[in-house]
């Protein structure tokens, strides 16, 4: 077994993002630059860019070229290692994870992580990337279809209705309406969700996250050095990552990759699901959030809906989930998503989340992505656990 | 000739031939492999017929697809009788007739044009009578 752990070796000392949305007036590099400058500005005692010794860039569909040099062009940070990471919807969080490895090892004192995606310039969105010429690899399967398959199976097994699943969208749009960085800042009702056109039955329009442009950035350092930069660092306690495919089995009512990644992260952090005070979890579709409550250990199988009905996961609840509005309201610029979740949790743990600040004085936070790859036949999950210093 | 991705699996695709792990029984399809996804290890496989009947594990009805697809399009994950799990388009079935557990049968159909040549593969329809 492994001899080393990430626990308490890495501190987040700065975090920033840009308002997500249809950013036709901002280029890919401009978005990175703004998120980076916001992260720099957030460092309480200041940080000289010359102190940044390495950087990681998480992005799935860069407009030109495929290397880390895009980050250098956007920030002026040339002459240092810049690594580009791509891992489906875990792209941003895996970029963060790999930066943590290098800092924990002591290779670098300070590192930058940027996640970015420009998705609106191409009007077709991801549905245009549907597997068209696949014989057995899922011809006609889209992102909504992959998660819709889980919705159908879950609804059948646990006798859950579309009305009940809609509570996820209602909650997250309510939070998103308050969150200054969200793409969609409107509330919606259960009726709105049910009346919206179908995208991939049983998922309708408001069960799906929008197609969004955005960028987010965090600055990390070796834990021992954190006090040079801030009196309120946030520490990385646990990290996990795993892959899975439903071709290996299962009844499609769970995302086992999340279960594996969460177990790795909880074990590393030495905490249990009950200890988590606030979480940003992957609600690319309403059903994804509901199933993820169970995969992350917040509720037993088939009982996630109770967290919504009892108000536990609402902004005012005892375990608020997706105070930012989640992907459903904030948007899902894929490479930026995981990093933006970490930005949000950094602010929550420091009590600086403004209108969406949770009221339970959070000590421990969890970040989660579940994404799909190989034409929607396999999934990848990434989980981080963060704690207040 | 068809493009390489179609040519490589022509035999398995046309005859629904799969490969079963001799250790755990996992059925690999359509490519023959030497490592098993369920054992997570190198393994020996035997060639099998996957059978033509199966049951729907879950399904969706696609309403938004690129050009080249007719919508609404029912799509399912199907467990075939000899142990393989596959994706399949469902035909000859109204969307409201779809249920988890529905028995379906494979039917050889035109799939798409590949560099000017027709590609055939299997779609599934409910077992009748």
């Amino acid at each position: 077994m492994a001899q080393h752990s990430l626990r308490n070796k890495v501190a987040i000392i700065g975090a920033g993002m840009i308002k997500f949305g249809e950013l036709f007036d901002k280029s890919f590099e401009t978005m990175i630059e703004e998120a980076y400058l916001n992260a720099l500005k957030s460092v309480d005692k200041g940080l000289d860019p010359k102190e940044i010794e390495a950087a990681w860039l998480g992005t799935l569909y860069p407009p030109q070229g495929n290397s880390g040099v895009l980050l250098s062009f956007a920030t002026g940070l040339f002459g240092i290692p810049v690594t580009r990471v791509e891992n489906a919807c875990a792209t941003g969080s895996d970029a963060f994870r790999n930066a943590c490895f290098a800092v924990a090892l002591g290779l670098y004192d300070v590192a930058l992580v940027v996640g970015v995606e420009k998705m609106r310039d191409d009007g077709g969105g991801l549905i245009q990337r549907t597997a068209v010429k696949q014989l057995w690899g899922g011809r006609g399967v889209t992102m909504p279809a992959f998660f819709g398959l889980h919705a159908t199976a879950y609804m059948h097994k646990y006798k859950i209705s579309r009305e009940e699943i809609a509570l996820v969208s209602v909650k997250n749009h309510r939070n998103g309406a308050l969150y200054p960085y969200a793409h969609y800042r409107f509330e919606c009702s259960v009726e709105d969700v049910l009346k919206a056109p179908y995208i991939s039955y049983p998922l309708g329009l408001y069960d799906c996250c929008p197609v969004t442009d955005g960028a987010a950035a965090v600055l990390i350092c070796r834990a021992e050095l954190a006090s040079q930069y801030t009196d309120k660092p946030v520490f990385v306690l646990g990290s996990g990552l795993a892959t899975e495919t439903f071709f290996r089995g299962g009844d499609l009512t769970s995302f086992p990759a999340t279960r594996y990644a969460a177990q790795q992260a909880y074990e590393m952090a030495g905490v249990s699901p009950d200890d988590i005070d606030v979480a940003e979890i992957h609600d690319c579709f309403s059903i994804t959030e509901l199933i993820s409550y169970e995969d992350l250990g917040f509720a037993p199988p088939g009982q996630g809906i109770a967290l919504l009905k009892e108000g536990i996961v609402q902004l005012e609840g005892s375990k608020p989930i997706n105070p930012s509005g989640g992907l459903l309201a904030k948007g899902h610029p894929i490479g930026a998503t995981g990093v933006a979740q970490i930005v949000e949790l950094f602010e929550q743990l420091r009590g600086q989340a403004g209108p969406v600040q949770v009221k339970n004085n959070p000590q421990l936070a969890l970040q989660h992505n579940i994404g799909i790859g190989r034409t929607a036949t396999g999934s990848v999950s990434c989980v981080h656990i963060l704690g207040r210093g | 000739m068809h493009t390489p991705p179609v040519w490589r699996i022509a035999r398995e695709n046309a005859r629904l031939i799969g490969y079963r792990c001799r250790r755990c029984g996992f059925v690999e399809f359509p490519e023959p492999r030497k490592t098993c996804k369920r054992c997570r290890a190198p393994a020996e496989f035997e060639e099998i017929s996957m059978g033509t009947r199966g049951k729907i594990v879950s399904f969706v009805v696609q309403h938004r697809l690129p050009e080249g697809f007719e919508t609404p399009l029912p799509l399912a994950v199907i467990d075939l009788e000899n142990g393989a799990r596959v994706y399949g388009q469902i035909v000859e079935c109204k969307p409201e007739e779809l249920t988890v557990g529905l028995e379906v049968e494979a039917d050889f159909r035109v799939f798409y044009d590949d560099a000017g040549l027709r590609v055939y593969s299997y779609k599934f329809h409910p077992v009748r009578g």
Side-chain angles (χ1 to χ4, degrees), chain A residues 127-142 144-154 156 197-202 245-252 374-377, chain B residues 5-6 9 12-13 16 26 29-30 37-40 50 57-69 73 75-77 85-87 89 100 111-115 119-122 124:
Chain A
I127 282 182
Q128 291 300 328
R129 296 176 191 266
T130 306
V132 174
K133 294 201 168 179
Q134 289 276 345
L135 277 184
W136 292 96
R139 176 170 153 83
V141 175
T142 51
F146 178 82
F147 290 97
L149 286 164
H150 286 77
T152 302
Y154 188 90
H156 178 82
Y198 281 122
I199 303 298
S200 180
Y201 170 90
T245 168
F246 61 56
F247 286 127
R248 295 197 333 139
D251 61 7
L252 279 70
R374 197 180 177 270
T375 62
T377 61
Chain B
V6 174
I9 59 166
E12 290 83 356
N13 176 53
L16 284 176
F26 179 74
F29 173 79
K37 289 179 173 61
R38 198 177 283 157
C39 298
R40 306 198 321 168
M50 300 211 297
V57 179
S58 191
F59 67 90
V60 290
V61 183
Q62 290 283 68
H63 289 259
R64 300 279 164 160
L65 283 171
E67 277 183 38
F69 290 95
L73 173 72
L75 270 175
V77 173
R85 179 170 282 186
V86 295
Y87 264 125
Q89 296 183 25
V100 171
F111 246 54
Y112 56 84
D113 276 356
D114 181 50
V119 176
Y120 290 78
S121 189
Y122 290 87
F124 295 83

Side-chain angles (χ1 to χ4, degrees), chain A residues 35-351:
Chain A
Y36 162 64
L37 291 175
N38 287 341
L40 265 187
K41 241 187 305 182
S42 76
V43 179
D44 295 327
K45 301 180 188 176
L47 187 149
D48 185 334
K50 292 187 178 60
E51 296 176 71
I52 299 170
E53 295 175 309
W56 275 259
L57 174 65
T59 187
L60 213 57
Y61 305 119
Q64 50 179 336
N66 294 306
S67 92
V69 78
L70 291 163
L71 182 145
S72 305
F73 270 90
T75 60
L77 297 172
F78 286 94
I80 60 168
V82 183
T83 301
R84 179 188 162 219
V85 173
E86 173 183 336
N87 207 353
C89 297
T91 291
S93 45
D94 203 8
F96 175 79
R97 181 176 149 87
N98 277 271
C100 287
F101 292 159
V103 169
L105 185 62
L107 280 177
Y108 311 112
D109 285 348
V110 176
L112 167 70
V113 184
V114 175
V116 59
E117 216 70 63
K118 175 141 284 291
M119 302 181 73
R120 297 298 311 192
D121 281 6
D122 173 5
L126 290 178
I127 282 182
Q128 291 300 328
R129 296 176 191 266
T130 306
V132 174
K133 294 201 168 179
Q134 289 276 345
L135 277 184
W136 292 96
R139 176 170 153 83
V141 175
T142 51
M143 313 287 171
F146 178 82
F147 290 97
L149 286 164
H150 286 77
T152 302
Y154 188 90
M155 290 164 69
H156 178 82
K157 181 172 180 180
Y158 297 118
K159 309 288 174 247
I160 297 288
S161 65
R162 284 194 69 226
E163 285 90 329
E164 292 174 295
I165 296 173
L167 295 174
V168 175
S169 304
V170 173
K171 168 181 74 75
N172 290 354
H173 277 285
R174 183 170 162 259
N175 294 349
L178 298 170
Y179 188 57
Y181 299 103
H183 182 173
Y184 285 163
R185 301 196 62 194
F186 58 82
E187 296 196 13
C188 70
S189 65
V190 169
E191 197 189 354
D192 292 333
V193 180
L194 297 179
K195 280 167 71 176
Y198 281 122
I199 303 298
S200 180
Y201 170 90
L203 302 177
L205 184 64
Y206 287 177
D207 291 294
C208 306
C209 66
V211 178
T212 302
D213 297 329
V218 298
L219 287 155
I220 61 175
C221 74
R222 283 200 292 124
E224 307 91 274
L225 305 175
S227 62
Q228 292 179 24
Y229 301 101
T230 176
D231 294 330
K232 294 170 96 177
V234 165
F235 294 98
V236 179
L237 304 183
S239 176
L241 186 108
T243 61
E244 186 53 282
T245 168
F246 61 56
F247 286 127
R248 295 197 333 139
D251 61 7
L252 279 70
T253 60
S254 161
F255 299 103
T258 294
R259 292 182 176 261
Y260 312 143
Q263 189 184 348
Q264 294 168 20
Y266 286 131
E267 268 178 27
M268 190 184 286
V271 303
S272 79
D274 287 347
D275 299 325
I276 301 299
D277 298 310
V278 59
E280 284 283 323
I281 75 178
H282 201 88
D283 58 327
C284 51
F285 299 92
S286 51
I287 185 65
T288 323
E289 176 166 326
L290 184 57
I291 290 178
S292 298
Y293 294 161
E294 299 166 16
D295 292 336
L296 292 166
F298 299 157
Q303 293 178 39
I305 198 73
L307 300 184
L308 285 156
K309 289 183 173 171
E310 292 166 16
I312 292 163
V313 292
Q314 305 288 342
L315 196 55
E316 309 78 8
S318 57
K319 194 191 281 286
I321 290 182
N322 286 332
S324 69
L327 284 48
L328 284 170
K330 181 173 55 185
H332 183 20
I334 300 176
T337 292
V339 182
Q341 290 172 317
I342 292 166
V343 171
E344 165 64 3
L345 294 172
F346 176 78
E347 292 180 354
Q348 289 286 359
L349 289 168
R350 287 160 44 110

